[in-house]
Amino acid sequence: VLASGAYGAGIALQDFDGKALGMSNAFAATADNPSALFYNPAGITQLDGMQGEASLTVVQPNARFTADPGEGSDQRAETNPIPIPALFGTAEITDFLYVGLGTFVPYGLAIDWGRDWSGRYIFDDAKIEDIETNLNVATKFQLGADTVLSFAAGGSISMVDAVFRRNFDQRAIGAPDAHAKVILSTNDDL
């Protein structure tokens, strides 16, 4: 028996468009609104004139840890609603040239287990946020009466902030837990 790998989305966020969500994110082939900038930028060649889209999805995490018998207590993480904003704009410059600009959060996480849970020596608090701004230029070629081939090229700038906190076990020297915090940021204000 052979098995292939299974991968979870982890901290990936793809909740930028109601239509795409309704299609279980099988939207890349359709990509017929400004959120195409995230799903399939070549899709903006289907859009006439100037178009825009703004969305806000709120995620309410729910995390629970069940400890093995004798290995600590069960724990429920402290979580708050996490807003996931997105903003997309497209413009048809000519019949064959299109531009689009999008800002969205493709990755994120926020969880706080507290400093007393049994996994506190691995981590007890984490927050990751990636705000991406994406610029694309697209073009299309008419290959037949009903056949169009579209291409897009672009680039992204990501602003990433990550904060991780964990405890260090110092019981061996008779001291209380020590705490460490690691901050990785493209923001000088942190």
Side-chain angles (χ1 to χ4, degrees), residues 17-149:
D17 179 70
K19 181 177 181 178
L21 281 172
M23 297 172 66
S24 298
N25 281 328
F27 185 67
T30 305
D32 59 357
N33 66 38
S35 73
L37 290 164
F38 175 78
Y39 297 98
N40 177 1
I44 67 173
T45 61
Q46 302 177 76
L47 307 178
D48 296 326
M50 294 181 69
Q51 295 191 27
E53 179 178 348
S55 68
L56 178 66
T57 302
V58 179
V59 175
Q60 176 61 61
N62 181 9
R64 187 175 70 204
F65 171 78
T66 303
D68 289 336
E71 295 293 325
S73 61
D74 294 352
Q75 184 80 21
R76 183 173 294 275
E78 294 178 26
T79 59
N80 293 312
I82 302 170
I84 305 168
L87 183 63
F88 301 100
T90 63
E92 178 185 23
I93 305 301
T94 67
D95 287 344
F96 62 90
L97 182 64
Y98 300 78
V99 296
L101 182 66
T103 299
F104 45 89
V105 181
Y107 301 98
L109 163 79
I111 194 164
D112 184 356
W113 287 100
R115 292 191 176 182
D116 296 325
W117 85 293
S118 57
R120 67 189 175 274
Y121 303 123
I122 301 168
F123 85 98
D124 62 48
D125 185 21
K127 181 178 180 184
I128 302 169
E129 181 180 78
D130 174 15
I131 300 173
E132 187 170 317
T133 299
N134 177 274
L135 175 65
N136 277 280
V137 176
T139 189
K140 65 181 176 181
F141 301 96
Q142 194 77 36
L143 300 179
D146 295 325
T147 306
V148 175
L149 180 62

Side-chain angles (χ1 to χ4, degrees), residues 7-23:
Y7 302 96
I11 60 171
L13 303 169
Q14 300 179 357
D15 308 327
F16 306 122
D17 179 70
K19 181 177 181 178
L21 281 172
M23 297 172 66

Side-chain angles (χ1 to χ4, degrees), residues 104 106-107 129-133 157-161 185-187:
F104 45 89
Y107 301 98
E129 181 180 78
D130 174 15
I131 300 173
E132 187 170 317
T133 299
I157 296 174
S158 290
M159 296 185 346
V160 180
D161 293 326
S185 180
T186 55
N187 180 353

